[in-house]
């Protein structure tokens, strides 16, 4: 448990154009582990319990403001660089006391422990987060003095060949005494390769006025900066490896971990078995002893103890799968509840439905829940039996213990304990084939 940092204020920079993503969507809304990138940064900041958080956005980024609410946003009118963005952020903070932590919305995986260490390191006045990536191309380099204080951050584009050989890079996270920041930001200039106000220049400005900037190093996977789709994929890979390890540590068996994809908020019970190729979207809670068979896709669902899902099942949001429910192959469940012990094992669509305890949904059953305008609901009672290849045309109720004959199209409520048949009768004509063949041969000969 962390001690709340009530003398800490956070600025998250997220107004950048994100040009390298080649996207209409703001960069920080691209998903990572099923969450928009910015949510990762906001959650880590929240864990520090700072006095306030403001997120710097560009005009027109209302969706980002919505995502970070109830935290404040500060608008940077023109994208003149990270230093200018920090100025906008500073304006958005109300009477900041203590320290200011400045983070980039595009470096989403920094752990809370690392942030806390960075804040503690700023006792000298200022601290910056470093890392040593395999390939430093594109990152700013940390220039240090003999006492290992940072004296300057040089951006790749402004670096000499010699400076480009420096392995220690800038992760884009800084913590600074609130009294020092305004003056340093005022002094920034844009005389550099990109004609931008670089936030990184506050380090050399501070060093010149005798302020020591300490640094700490974080593991590479925490510090991946996301400027392009390939860096997004790299970060996703690192995050998934972490989530897989966590799932196994907590008592789930992943038969082929590299093919299991989790969302940040996936919750797994103990003795869960996950076969290859399973994808968890946001909002999934899995109880103890659940098996998820190969190639299933789940989002927005709670699955209770002992249930079995798939192979090849798709469970869509607002669904609830009860204890010991059995969902088989090629089943789609959408906004539906299956109560304890219910079964739907082959080739069905269950939409806007409540399926009662121990009810059996036969192969190929389809719930017709949409009339072109509205989504309509269906109830199948406890112990009811729906025969194969039936269509339940919503809104409709099948009573407790009722039977629906196979291949029925049900448009009316079926009372408890009754049988509903809604298909043409089978007609048998004895000897029909022989008679037909005789007729055919006759006409052929005549013709
Ligand atoms: C930045 C750092 C670089 C560091 C890298 C780490 C600068 C000048 N360089 O480079 O030293 O190694 O991050 O990932 O800061 N932003 C705004 N408004 C702007 C420009 C940027 O809000 O006008 C925000 C972006 O949304 C982003 C952050 O500032 O969250 C950094 O900007 P970005 O363009 O991604 O800088 P990098 O090239 O990644
Ligand atoms: Mg960046």
């Amino acid at each position: 448990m962390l001690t709340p940092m009530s003398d800490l204020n956070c600025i998250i920079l997220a107004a950048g154009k994100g040009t390298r993503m080649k996207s209409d969507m703001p960069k920080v809304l691209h998903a990572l582990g099923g969450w928009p990138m910015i949510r990762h940064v906001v959650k880590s900041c929240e864990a520090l319990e700072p006095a306030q958080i403001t997120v710097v956005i560009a005009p027109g980024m209302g969706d980002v403001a919505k995502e970070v609410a109830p935290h404040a946003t500060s608008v940077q009118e023109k994208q003149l660089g990270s230093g200018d963005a920090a100025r906008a952020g500073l304006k958005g903070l109300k009477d900041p006391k203590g320290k200011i932590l400045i983070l980039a919305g595009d470096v989403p995986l920094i752990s809370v422990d690392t942030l806390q260490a960075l804040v503690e390191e700023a006792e000298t006045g200022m601290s910056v987060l470093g890392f040593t990536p395999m390939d430093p191309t594109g990152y700013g380099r940390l220039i240090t003095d003999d006492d290992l204080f940072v004296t300057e951050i040089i951006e790749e584009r402004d670096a000499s060949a010699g400076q480009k050989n420096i392995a220690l890079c800038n992760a884009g996270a800084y913590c600074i005494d609130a009294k020092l920041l305004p003056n340093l930001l005022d002094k920034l200039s844009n005389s550099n390769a990109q004609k931008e106000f670089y936030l990184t220049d506050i380090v050399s400005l501070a060093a010149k006025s005798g302020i020591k900037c300490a640094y700490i190093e974080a593991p590479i996977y925490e510090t991946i900066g996301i400027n392009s789709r390939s860096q997004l994929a790299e970060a996703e890979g690192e995050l998934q490896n972490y989530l897989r390890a966590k799932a196994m540590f907590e008592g789930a068996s992943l038969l082929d971990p590299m093919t299991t994809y989790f969302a940040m908020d996936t919750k797994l019970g103990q003795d869960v078995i996950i076969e290859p190729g399973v994808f968890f979207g946001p909002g999934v809670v899995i109880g103890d002893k659940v098996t998820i068979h190969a190639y299933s896709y789940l989002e927005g669902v709670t699955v209770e103890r002992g249930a079995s899902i798939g192979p090849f099942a798709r469970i869509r949001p607002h669904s609830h799968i009860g204890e010991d429910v059995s969902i088989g192959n090629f089943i789609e469940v959408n906004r539906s509840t299956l109560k304890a012990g219910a079964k739907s094992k082959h080739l069905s669509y269950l939409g806007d439905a409540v399926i009662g305890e121990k009810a059996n949904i036969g192969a190929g059953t389809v719930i017709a829940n949409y009339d072109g305008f509205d989504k309509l609901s269906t109830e199948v009672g406890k112990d009811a039996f729906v025969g194969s290849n039936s269509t339940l045309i919503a809104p409709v109720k099948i009573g407790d213990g009722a039977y629906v004959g196979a291949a029925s199209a049900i448009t009316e409520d079926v009372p408890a304990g009754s049988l509903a048949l809604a298909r043409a009768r089978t007609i048998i004509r004895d000897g029909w084939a022989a008679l037909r063949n005789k007729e055919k041969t006759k006409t052929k000969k005549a013709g």
Side-chain angles (χ1 to χ4, degrees), residues 117-171:
L118 183 68
V119 173
E120 280 160 11
E121 202 65 21
E123 286 310 319
T124 56
M126 190 172 177
S127 62
V128 47
L129 187 62
F131 72 121
T132 310
M134 307 272 244
D135 175 13
T137 313
Y139 291 111
R141 310 295 204 278
L142 300 189
I143 317 277
T144 52
D145 62 15
D146 293 344
D147 299 323
L148 293 182
F149 286 110
V150 186
T151 53
E152 193 177 2
I153 301 177
I154 286 279
E155 287 307 294
E156 166 103 10
R157 293 188 206 212
D158 302 288
S160 64
Q163 287 167 329
K164 279 184 190 159
N165 286 332
I166 296 172
L168 184 60
C169 290
N170 171 28

Side-chain angles (χ1 to χ4, degrees), residues 171 178 191 261 293 297 427-428:
S191 48
Y261 279 80
H293 295 281
Y297 190 114
I427 298 167
I428 308 282

Side-chain angles (χ1 to χ4, degrees), residues 300-322:
V301 59
T302 296
V303 181
E304 307 282 359
R305 185 189 176 87
S308 164
I309 294 185
F312 300 100
R314 178 173 182 204
I315 317 287
R316 295 171 60 189
H318 306 291
S319 294
H320 191 112
I321 308 296

Side-chain angles (χ1 to χ4, degrees), residues 286-310:
I286 305 286
D288 295 343
K289 298 193 189 310
V290 167
T291 299
I292 304 178
H293 295 281
Y295 305 107
S296 294
Y297 190 114
L298 291 84
E299 51 185 331
V301 59
T302 296
V303 181
E304 307 282 359
R305 185 189 176 87
S308 164
I309 294 185

Side-chain angles (χ1 to χ4, degrees), residues 24-280:
D24 279 347
M25 187 165 69
K27 174 165 71 176
V28 296
L29 291 183
H30 283 263
L32 194 65
W35 278 5
M37 211 187 287
I38 190 80
R39 192 183 300 173
H40 294 261
V41 187
V42 170
K43 291 269 181 206
S44 305
C45 281
E46 281 174 350
L48 298 172
E49 298 189 43
Q52 53 187 325
I53 298 175
T54 187
V55 180
V56 182
I57 58 171
M61 281 192 182
D63 288 348
V64 179
K66 260 189 226 153
E67 169 57 39
V68 304
H71 300 295
T73 45
S74 314
V75 178
Q76 182 195 19
E77 290 302 333
K78 281 194 188 143
Q79 280 51 73
L80 302 176
S82 52
D84 181 67
R87 281 180 193 154
L90 184 62
K91 271 190 212 145
L93 291 179
K94 290 184 197 99
D95 190 21
K97 300 227 161 44
K99 292 173 188 164
I100 299 178
L101 179 65
I102 307 176
L103 301 175
D106 68 345
V107 187
L109 298 181
I110 303 180
S111 70
V112 179
D113 287 349
T114 298
L115 289 181
Q116 202 184 18
L118 183 68
V119 173
E120 280 160 11
E121 202 65 21
E123 286 310 319
T124 56
M126 190 172 177
S127 62
V128 47
L129 187 62
F131 72 121
T132 310
M134 307 272 244
D135 175 13
T137 313
Y139 291 111
R141 310 295 204 278
L142 300 189
I143 317 277
T144 52
D145 62 15
D146 293 344
D147 299 323
L148 293 182
F149 286 110
V150 186
T151 53
E152 193 177 2
I153 301 177
I154 286 279
E155 287 307 294
E156 166 103 10
R157 293 188 206 212
D158 302 288
S160 64
Q163 287 167 329
K164 279 184 190 159
N165 286 332
I166 296 172
L168 184 60
C169 290
N170 171 28
Y174 322 81
C175 188
I176 181 163
D177 190 320
K179 292 189 291 294
L180 300 175
L181 187 62
N183 185 31
L184 294 173
L185 290 180
D186 282 347
K187 284 193 198 153
L188 290 178
S189 95
N190 65 350
S191 48
N192 51 50
Q194 297 198 82
K195 300 274 166 291
E196 281 187 1
F197 295 93
Y198 291 163
L199 177 57
T200 44
D201 286 345
I202 59 172
V203 173
S204 56
L205 290 169
K208 275 177 205 148
S209 40
I211 303 158
K212 301 249 179 247
C213 178
Y215 77 89
I216 57 165
E217 259 200 86
I220 304 170
Y221 62 83
E222 288 190 25
T223 47
I224 301 167
I226 300 175
N227 296 316
S228 64
R229 306 261 180 177
S230 49
Q231 284 168 325
L232 179 65
E234 189 190 345
E236 184 73 56
E238 294 292 349
L239 178 60
Q240 289 303 331
N241 281 338
Y242 164 77
L243 295 172
R244 290 164 188 149
K246 181 168 166 270
M248 292 186 276
F249 178 77
E250 288 171 357
S253 287
L254 314 188
L255 268 64
D256 185 5
M258 292 302 282
T259 66
T260 308
Y261 279 80
F262 291 107
M264 280 301 285
D265 59 357
T266 309
K267 288 198 180 65
L268 302 180
Q270 264 189 34
D271 292 315
V272 169
I273 295 174
I274 300 175
E275 291 183 1
V278 172
F279 186 96
F280 294 96

